[in-house]
Amino acid sequence: MLVSGINHVPVLTADTERFLEFYAGVFGATHEVLQEREGFKLTLVWVGPTSELNVFELDDNAEHERQVPMFGRGRLDHLALEAASLEAFDKIRERLLARGATDGFVTDFGHILSLFFRDPDGLEAEVCV
């Protein structure tokens, strides 16, 4: 295989600080503001050693509000993050439950366990192990 995983996923948000608090609080993500000017902010959020979310906050852009049923969301349907271990997966699940971001249901696909959640902007996402 010539690739080792996901490099980055661009995400739109209405509130960068709320987004950062959620991903840092649940996943331990770290961040760096890359660009900021009137009406525009780009923040890099590291969710793994080589994986990041490129978080864009743009004035007058309401795309983050559009959440339609699964498989009706456009080319990118959802985001899936990989937990570092089963223990990390369990801790993430507890944190998501505490925030009301998931119903806690875990799907066992045989080769992975999967838990869906919604971030503060309503993005449907998944954590796997």
Side-chain angles (χ1 to χ4, degrees), residues 42-112:
L42 169 57
T43 306
L44 305 182
V45 179
W46 287 280
V47 293
T50 62
S51 300
E52 62 190 50
L53 304 177
N54 292 179
V55 181
F56 292 88
E57 183 178 340
L58 304 128
D59 285 357
D60 302 322
N61 184 309
E63 283 297 314
H64 63 276
E65 295 174 0
R66 292 179 6 127
Q67 291 297 316
V68 295
M70 194 167 198
F71 307 123
R73 297 180 185 126
R75 294 184 74 143
L76 176 64
D77 186 76
H78 67 277
L79 163 70
L81 301 174
E82 179 75 20
S85 65
L86 183 55
E87 294 77 20
F89 180 86
D90 290 339
K91 182 176 276 190
I92 291 165
R93 182 177 179 275
E94 290 172 14
R95 291 176 178 181
L96 289 168
L97 280 165
R99 291 169 180 265
T102 184
D103 64 6
F105 182 78
V106 175
T107 302
D108 184 345
F109 286 105
H111 67 292
I112 64 167

Side-chain angles (χ1 to χ4, degrees), residues 18 22 55 61 90 120 126 129:
R18 180 186 66 189
F22 180 86
V55 181
N61 184 309
D90 290 339
E126 178 182 17
V129 68

Side-chain angles (χ1 to χ4, degrees), residues 107-121:
T107 302
D108 184 345
F109 286 105
H111 67 292
I112 64 167
L113 298 176
S114 165
L115 171 69
F116 276 88
F117 66 93
R118 285 197 183 268
D119 80 3
D121 288 301

